[in-house]
Amino acid sequence: MRKSRVQRMVLATCLGSFLLVIFYFQSSLNPAAEDRILGTSWHGKSGRSPLQALYDSDQFEQSSLQATHQQRRDLLSRVCGRYTRKRRLLTPDDLRHLVVDDVHGLLYCYVPKVACTNWKRVMMVLTGQGKYRDPLEIPANEAHVSSNLRTLSEYSTPEINHRLRNYLKFIFVREPFERLVSAYRNKFTRRYNTAFHKRYGTKIIRRHRQEPSNEALERGDDVRFEEFVYYLLDPRTQHEEPFNEHWERVHSLCHPCIIHYDVVGKYETLAEDANYVLQLVGADASVKFPSSSKTTRTTDDMTAQFFEDISPFYQRKLFNLYKMDYLLFNYSIPSYLHLR
């Protein structure tokens, strides 16, 4: 018994040491030495890294766009300081959403339902060594093939820390409930998403629909929005497994209170913010961020309609679930909610 306890303690110590290395190594390496060891060179027009371009520009009088992004960084820092009293340690699993561009020095944390398909297309162009020239020529399904882009979790601990310290880290966010409704519409109201219907729809109907039909239990393709809300709020859901990335909170996907993001772009100002990132990268003028579809996107008015049948009690519980995303990224409480 004593021997097994000692073995467990040794294992825990080793694991803890690995986690501590990832967290603390960020402030212990010399950037110039890292560049020599890891062979860093930048391919932007100016020869500077995007991180240098960002903070060099902050030394002069800021444009309104630069001031906006500074305000977003400052808000993120204040909210994190107020609501996260203890900073937990990074693990490799925390880094699976951080896409790496070693050519230009970029780390992009992708958030599903926030133009991530188009951002992955752009990242494939930036990292493709000329293989791709136009993001829109890349099929959407190819953009999501994991082998086409590397994530930070695939690197060694020294390489991870080098990139966290020296690369421009950016993220794009969206009004949380608008993103949630967009995920629901895409995954549960589209006939072609049979994998989601089988994986999640059948479970949601079985647990949250009174007297479901045998067909509904088998197919799982007619989940109602209120049933989806009950599923999200059911304590069993997260006890059994983490949220799917399409409805997971942004702060749980990208850890903005642990990882310092240099640019926080917003879906509401997507074109302007995407162009800002590409300017910092020094990308070729031919690399354009694809314009989004205006015909199918989920809007605020559409989101309000979905919440009409959700009681104030469940509206409040759902808001509390996504509250940190509202606070971190400066989104107001939607006017259609009845929280009091």
Side-chain angles (χ1 to χ4, degrees):
M1 180 68 70
R2 184 175 180 181
K3 184 178 180 181
S4 63
R5 183 182 297 176
V6 171
Q7 289 173 334
R8 288 197 300 271
M9 290 175 64
V10 170
L11 178 61
T13 302
C14 292
L15 179 59
S17 298
F18 175 68
L19 299 178
L20 285 167
V21 166
I22 292 181
F23 184 75
Y24 290 110
F25 211 67
Q26 295 182 50
S27 60
S28 63
L29 295 180
N30 181 290
E34 288 177 290
D35 289 346
R36 289 194 300 271
I37 294 168
L38 297 170
T40 304
S41 60
W42 309 114
H43 288 224
K45 291 177 182 177
S46 65
R48 296 180 300 170
S49 75
L51 193 61
Q52 291 171 323
L54 173 68
Y55 290 106
D56 284 354
S57 66
D58 284 351
Q59 304 304 312
F60 305 100
E61 185 175 350
Q62 290 185 328
S63 67
S64 60
L65 183 60
Q66 290 170 326
T68 295
H69 283 277
Q70 181 64 57
Q71 290 165 7
R72 291 176 186 175
R73 290 193 296 271
D74 292 344
L75 175 70
L76 201 56
S77 178
R78 288 198 305 274
V79 174
C80 287
R82 187 177 305 158
Y83 289 93
T84 56
R85 301 192 183 280
K86 184 177 180 180
R87 295 179 70 184
R88 71 172 183 79
L89 306 180
L90 283 170
T91 68
D93 200 50
D94 294 327
L95 309 175
R96 292 183 299 107
H97 273 250
L98 280 159
V99 176
V100 180
D101 174 4
D102 282 325
V103 178
H104 299 89
L106 285 178
L107 293 176
Y108 160 57
C109 189
Y110 73 89
V111 178
K113 309 312 300 175
V114 192
C116 78
T117 299
N118 282 337
W119 263 117
K120 286 182 177 181
R121 285 167 163 157
V122 170
M123 294 292 281
M124 288 173 68
V125 171
L126 293 175
T127 62
Q129 304 290 340
K131 180 179 179 182
Y132 306 102
R133 297 191 180 278
D134 182 357
L136 283 179
E137 290 178 352
I138 302 172
N141 62 324
E142 189 173 340
H144 294 290
V145 174
S146 59
S147 60
N148 284 332
L149 291 166
R150 294 192 70 184
T151 63
L152 196 58
S153 60
E154 300 173 39
Y155 291 77
S156 69
T157 301
E159 291 171 331
I160 288 170
N161 284 286
H162 171 78
R163 284 157 179 77
L164 285 172
R165 291 186 65 210
N166 294 289
Y167 284 18
L168 181 97
K169 297 167 289 296
F170 74 99
I171 182 177
F172 272 73
V173 300
R174 183 177 186 177
E175 203 285 328
F177 281 173
E178 186 178 299
R179 173 177 170 250
L180 185 66
V181 169
S182 178
Y184 165 77
R185 291 180 64 218
N186 180 256
K187 300 307 176 186
F188 295 110
T189 69
R190 304 287 191 265
R191 291 293 176 186
Y192 56 78
N193 265 322
T194 54
F196 270 80
H197 302 159
K198 288 287 187 180
R199 175 73 178 80
Y200 298 100
T202 54
K203 179 188 290 187
I204 292 171
I205 291 170
R206 184 173 68 253
R207 288 185 174 176
H208 302 289
R209 182 178 300 180
Q210 293 184 351
E211 300 181 0
S213 68
N214 289 333
E215 182 181 9
L217 289 170
E218 171 66 26
R219 297 169 64 92
D221 61 353
D222 64 342
V223 173
R224 301 162 192 153
F225 183 67
E226 62 182 318
E227 295 169 337
F228 179 54
V229 170
Y230 299 153
Y231 163 77
L232 294 174
L233 296 174
D234 187 340
R236 293 173 293 180
T237 299
Q238 290 194 76
H239 179 73
E240 293 170 351
E241 61 181 341
F243 275 168
N244 179 275
E245 63 179 10
H246 291 85
W247 47 84
E248 180 61 280
R249 286 70 52 91
V250 175
H251 74 270
S252 295
L253 287 176
C254 295
H255 314 286
C257 290
I258 306 175
I259 297 171
H260 174 79
Y261 286 95
D262 306 291
V263 175
V264 177
K266 293 200 169 188
Y267 192 77
E268 295 77 14
T269 51
L270 177 60
E272 182 179 47
D273 292 342
N275 186 54
Y276 179 57
V277 172
L278 292 175
Q279 285 181 349
L280 291 172
V281 170
D284 191 276
S286 63
V287 180
K288 304 288 186 184
F289 190 86
S291 58
S292 60
S293 169
K294 299 295 183 182
T295 57
T296 60
R297 66 161 292 207
T298 301
T299 63
D300 183 68
D301 289 342
M302 190 183 297
T303 302
Q305 293 174 13
F306 277 89
F307 274 84
E308 287 178 354
D309 296 327
I310 307 300
S311 71
F313 175 78
Y314 283 107
Q315 287 183 10
R316 163 62 71 180
K317 292 192 71 173
L318 193 67
F319 178 77
N320 287 339
L321 187 63
Y322 288 86
K323 184 177 179 179
M324 276 303 293
D325 281 359
Y326 276 95
L327 293 170
L328 288 166
F329 306 115
N330 199 29
Y331 286 106
S332 302
I333 298 174
S335 59
Y336 54 78
L337 292 184
H338 304 286
L339 302 183
R340 292 184 176 84

